[in-house]
Structure formats: structure tokens, C-alpha cells
Amino acid sequence: MSKADIGLIGLAVMGQNLVLNMNDNGYGVAVYNRTVQKMTDFIEGPAKGRDTIYGTQTIEELVSMLKRPRRVMLMVKAGEVVDHFIEQVLPFLEEGDIIIDGGNSHFPDSNRRAKTLAEKGILFIGAGVSGGEEGARRGPSIMPGGNEKAWPAIKDIFQDISAKTETNEACCDWVGNDGSGHYVKMVHNGIEYGDMQLIGEAYQLLKDGLGFSYPEMHEIFSKWNEGPLDSYLIEITRDILNFKDEDGVYLVEKILDSAGQKGTGKWTGISALDLGVPVTLIGEAVFARCLSAIKDERLEASKILSGPGVKFEGDKQSFVNDIEKALLFAKIISYTQGFMLMREAAKENSWTLNYGSIALMWRGGCIIRSAFLGKIKEAYDKNPELKSLLLDDYFKDVVLESQGALRRVVAKAVELGIPVPTLSTSLAFFDGYRSERLPANLLQAQRDYFGAHTYERLDKPRGQFFHTNWTGKGGNVSSSTYDV
Ligand code: NBP
């Protein structure tokens, strides 16, 4: 009876495609779905003729089909549903068996599940899977974390089914303890929000600022995809801009400009705020989606609030070149911030993260895959302790060389009245990050003035706190000094 290498619960788009991928790679898979009819449809449809994909009617039957240690993978809706299935599977498992959650779970849930299952002798893996339907079928990026004792038992399956780089390295490696796999996947998704918003801003500048047609924009994106911006998202944007509806009108023109979101960008922003890391670009990207979503209110405001009414004058081609460089600059800032966040999260949670290997996992299969990630891997291979990507020679040279272009693009966008929240925040971050002095001295003075919050002085050692009676009317009692 025990003939399947792995069991998979959840036969929606991701689950079905992962099963077919595993089976193509020689693994026997037992499958189960809450709505049993979907399992039957799968076995009689996409899995027809494959005699090592085994449909099962109950969880007990699924588990009974598995070789030991049993490996049960969940590909279901994140949240309570995952806990519900864990509860259902547990009675049939033994010590040393493995539960893998491959959905988009929030990392605190994975932290909790890793801990509670370890107490029961069950090894939990929280694995971020990226690449959508096509990735799941042909090779996703997989970011597994959790109980490291389980890694040898799932390494081959995961690395065999994952995407590969041009040099045939698997876009899947061990991330770290507890919920770190899901954390890294969350940051991946946050970065995806940033990359998408940056491309959206470039599109609006080209369309509304420069007045380019769809065929012209298609050409521009085709060219960009052959340079340093070469990436999956630039590539699909190129194709989207060339896609016509049945009546010959470009389809994207007909799509409602109100963006949806499923939470991973927001979670990244919340984690950044919790940890005090300035992940401004992803934050702006999430807020830009929120602003887009109040479509009715914007419609009303557009009739009342006018902009500068300025038209672009100047050399269009040179401005297009500037936008390309501005996108690269901002992308570097976004990844810099994302890796800063992972460093801080690793410190906070006592995870040992390998940043070069994270860049490698994102190099293929996933939505943010790009040539650029190869450069990030090189930077961390050269210096695994790198504090910030901006301090790496390659990235430093690129930002120094392209900052002029970004400044021109942001200035022109401001003149034209075109919103560029992520492009402009990348510049603000850069100018802040490279500043020896920021106006926070005044801020500290204000805090001490109104709330006796104390301040440190440049002419005294760090850690000594001072309070001044600014008005002569206050007392000499100061507030306690702590940061939250
Ligand atoms: P869904 O996220 O739509 O989940 C579908 C599965 O969850 C089905 O098996 C469904 O069973 C089960 N399910 C639901 Br929904 N509610 C349930 C409940 N109350 N009790 C028990 N089972 C329930 O599928 P997906 O898009 O394939 O994604 C699977 C996971 O992978 C998710 O966590 C998702 O966030 C993540 N992910 C998705 C993508 C993507 O591109 N779609 C990419 C990367 C990661 P049923 O058939 O009986 O309703």
C-alpha cells in the first residue's frame, strides 16, 4: 500500500500543477481534496493515464498510501484552513513524519505551527512557492523553512521540481528555522508589489506624459527587456501592451484602474514598521494600490481638483532613456530595503539566512525573476555580511551613474502632475541614506521641548541622555528613554 513518495492536499490550480510536476520528475503522489469531486475530475482529467498519481477519498486513505517518513504537503487557502487540515492529518502520523505547508501563510502562523508540531514529534516545513500556475507546472521558486531535520527528506523532490538557473542551479534551497521560508516569500511578494508599481509609473509617464501609443510602448518595453531591466515582469508588460481585445482596442485600456491585493505586500509593510526598517518603496506600492482602489472618490475629485496643466516639452527619446535608468535605480533601492528587512528579521528571530542563496532562489521560476538578481547573488557571495546592497561596488556604481536620470524623471513628473510615489521615494531614501546629518536633531529637540523625552548630544558619548528646560517654566523631570 505504501507506494507514494508524497501526499498532496488541495487540488486547485497550484496543487494540481505541482502534482503533475512531481510526477514528471518520477515521484508517486497521493492526492486529496476537500471537495472530492475535484479529485475525481483531476484523476480523470489532467492526471489521466498516470498510474503513479493516486486519488484518495479520505485523509486516512491518503496517509496510508505514503512511504515513511510520510510527507504530506498542503496547497490550500492560507489561514485557518491550514490548521484545520493539520488537525485532520495528525491522528494518522507518527513521530518523524513531515507536514509541508506550501501556501501563502503568514510567517507568525508558521512560527507557531513549527513549534507546536515539534512538541508532537512532527516535522513542519513552511515553504513559500512562487511562479503561479506556469511555475508550479514547469518549475517554481521554492523557499522552504521550518524544522531542518525534515530537509534531507524533501530536498530531492523540491530541488527536482523547482526552476533552474541557466547554470542549472535549483531555485530552491534551505532558508532557515521556523517561519523563515514564509517570511522570505512574503518579502518576495512585497518586492513584487514594488516592481509592479514602478512599471506602472513608467507606463503612465510614457502614455500620459510623453503621449506614446501602445505599439510605441510595446517597442520601448521590448528594448528595456534586452538591457539591465531584463525580467519576467518587464517581459509580460511588453506583451500586455501589445494585446488587443476582440474589437481591436488594446485590452489594458479597458481594464478598471482599481488594484486588488491579497495581503502579502501589507504584511511586508507591517513587518517593516514593527522592526523599524525603512522599507519605503514597498510601503508606497501598497498605498498606491489603496489609492487606486478608491476609484469612485478619485472620479469625483478629478472633476474638482485640477493639476498643473503642463505639457511635456523636450527630447522624448532622451527622457525614455532616463526612465529606464530611473527604473533600475529605484529597483536597486527596493531590493536594498527588502534585504535590510530580512537581515533585521533574521536578527529578531535568530534565523541564519543566506542572502546569496535567497537571491538565487528568486533568480528563476518566480514572478520577480530577473537578470538583476544574479548581480545580487554575486554581491552577497563576495561579502555575505554586506550591510546594504548600496555599499557593494557594482550597485554603488549603478546608482551613482543613474541618479541624475532619476532626479530628472521625478522633477519632470512633479512638473507634469503625474504621481510617481515609488520612483520618488527611492530618491528620498537614497538622499537620506547618504546623509551624514539629517534634521532629526531638531525632531529630538521638539520631543524634548513638549514631552521631556530627552536627547543625546554630538559632543557627549552615545547613551547619555539630556533634558533641557526649554521655556524656563517646565520642571527638571524627564520622561523615561526607550524606543518602541
Ligand atoms: P486556493 O487558494 O484557491 O485554495 C484552494 C484549496 O483550498 C482547495 O483545495 C479548496 O478546497 C481548499 N479550501 C478552501 Br478555498 N477553503 C477551504 C475550507 N474552508 N476547508 C477546506 N479546504 C478549503 O488555491 P491556489 O490558488 O491553488 O493556492 C493554494 C495556496 O498556494 C494558497 O495558499 C495560495 O495563496 C498559494 N499560492 C497561490 C498562487 C497562485 O498563483 N494561485 C501562487 C503561489 C502561492 P475545495 O476545492 O474543496 O474548495
Side-chain angles (χ1 to χ4, degrees), residues 9-15 33-35 38 75-78 81 84-85 102-105 129-133 185:
I9 297 176
L11 291 171
V13 61
M14 294 299 285
N33 195 69
R34 173 185 64 165
T35 309
K38 288 190 190 164
M75 258 344 261
V76 295
K77 186 178 164 198
V81 177
H84 169 71
F85 276 116
N104 268 340
S105 293
V129 178
S130 174
E133 178 178 2
K185 171 69 192 334

